[in-house]
């Protein structure tokens, strides 16, 4: 700040003829009526939260809310991804690291009702790919697991070994059968997830089909 002793005010009179009658005085900017804010943090890690409320840079396309999945059917009727707050906190840290690289997450599946798990098992009763709901809850039904991919700043999916719901050998964690770019992208996400305490499914990467 400039000391008061050095400040000077010069009074100036502007002739009225120099200001057109149509001139409008500039008004002070006004704040919007509502400013988007992050909801308060839940008191328990077990509380289910809407992921986009805490990771607004993420996008979502829940594939089981459409027919674009291996069953060819709509499995559930909601379009927002939910997870346990404890899971979301770790995912937030992953997203911070990704954003430094100009990358963002796109969510394909999060919390899944038990009824949805039975619907998947009915179509594919193979525990390698689908958790058997008769022997225990899927980690999706517990809100612990997310299926996702990566997109660039324009929202375009980057190259990965597979797309969603791929039951081929390309969906495993051995990258010899995919391009170098796809392998590098998959390994980047895998490393970031594991650094934050997430465990990748042994048959496929978490961003592709973990815990289905």
């Amino acid at each position: 700040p400039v000391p008061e002793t050095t400040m000077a005010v010069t009074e100036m009179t502007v002739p009225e003829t120099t200001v057109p009658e149509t001139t409008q005085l500039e008004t002070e900017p006004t704040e919007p009526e509502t400013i988007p804010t992050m909801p308060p943090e839940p008191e328990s890690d077990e509380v289910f939260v809407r992921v986009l409320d805490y990771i607004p840079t993420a996008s979502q396309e829940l594939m089981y809310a459409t027919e674009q999945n291996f069953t060819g059917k709509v499995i559930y009727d909601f379009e927002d991804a939910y997870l346990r707050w404890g899971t979301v906190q770790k995912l937030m840290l992953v997203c911070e690291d990704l954003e430094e690289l100009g990358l963002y997450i796109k969510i394909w599946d999060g919390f899944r009702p038990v009824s949805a798990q039975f619907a998947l098992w009915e179509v594919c009763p193979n525990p390698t790919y689908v958790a058997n709901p008769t022997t225990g809850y899927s980690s999706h039904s517990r809100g612990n697991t997310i299926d996702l991919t990566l997109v660039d700043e324009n929202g375009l999916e980057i190259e990965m070994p597979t797309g969603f719901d791929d039951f081929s050998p390309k969906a495993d964690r051995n990258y010899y059968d995919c391009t170098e770019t796809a392998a590098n992208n998959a390994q980047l996400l895998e490393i970031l997830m594991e650094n934050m305490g997430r465990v990748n499914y042994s048959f496929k990467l978490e961003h592709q089909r973990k815990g289905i």
Side-chain angles (χ1 to χ4, degrees):
V2 181
E4 293 183 2
T5 55
T6 65
M7 296 179 64
V9 178
T10 302
E11 186 172 353
M12 180 181 294
T13 302
V14 181
E16 293 184 3
T17 55
T18 63
V19 182
E21 293 182 0
T22 57
T23 299
Q24 297 182 352
L25 296 177
E26 183 176 346
T27 58
E28 294 184 2
T30 56
E31 295 184 359
E33 295 183 2
T34 59
I35 301 177
T37 57
M38 183 181 295
E41 295 185 359
E43 296 181 358
S44 169
D45 286 350
E46 303 306 315
V47 174
F48 277 67
V49 298
R50 180 176 176 267
V51 179
L52 264 60
D53 286 340
Y54 295 91
I55 310 179
T57 58
S59 59
Q60 59 184 8
E61 183 180 7
L62 301 192
M63 304 303 284
Y64 291 126
T66 73
E67 296 179 352
Q68 305 304 310
N69 58 73
F70 76 94
T71 70
K73 304 175 183 178
V74 175
I75 300 299
Y76 47 63
D77 60 0
F78 53 87
E79 298 181 351
D80 282 314
Y82 287 82
L83 292 171
R84 288 174 56 257
W85 170 235
T87 301
V88 171
Q89 290 179 83
K90 295 177 180 179
L91 189 59
M92 290 168 66
L93 297 176
V94 172
C95 290
E96 289 178 4
D97 288 340
L98 287 170
E99 288 172 22
E100 293 182 1
L101 303 173
L103 297 173
Y104 307 87
I105 65 169
K106 180 178 180 180
I107 303 170
W108 281 332
D109 191 30
F111 162 73
R112 186 187 304 153
V114 176
S115 59
Q117 192 64 35
F118 274 96
L120 298 181
W121 180 255
E122 182 179 354
V123 176
C124 181
N126 184 336
T128 298
Y129 301 106
V130 178
N132 186 347
T134 65
T135 60
Y137 292 114
S138 162
S139 58
H140 275 282
S141 298
R142 298 178 185 275
N144 294 332
T145 296
I146 183 172
D147 295 340
L148 57 87
T149 192
L150 298 180
V151 298
D152 62 20
E153 58 186 6
N154 297 315
L156 300 176
E157 295 180 13
I158 66 173
E159 184 179 354
M160 287 291 190
T162 72
F164 184 70
D165 271 0
D166 189 304
F167 292 165
S168 75
K170 287 187 177 181
D172 61 21
R173 296 177 65 182
N174 186 323
Y175 307 118
Y176 71 91
D177 51 1
C178 63
T179 68
E180 182 178 358
T181 297
N184 289 339
N185 290 337
Q187 288 175 324
L188 168 66
L189 181 57
E190 180 179 357
I191 290 171
L192 292 179
M193 286 287 195
E194 291 181 345
N195 286 346
M196 295 306 165
R198 307 309 299 157
V199 178
N200 291 304
Y201 185 47
S202 60
F203 287 97
K204 357 179 171 16
L205 280 174
E206 184 162 15
H207 72 282
Q208 295 163 332
R209 291 195 41 77
K210 178 180 182 297
I212 283 181

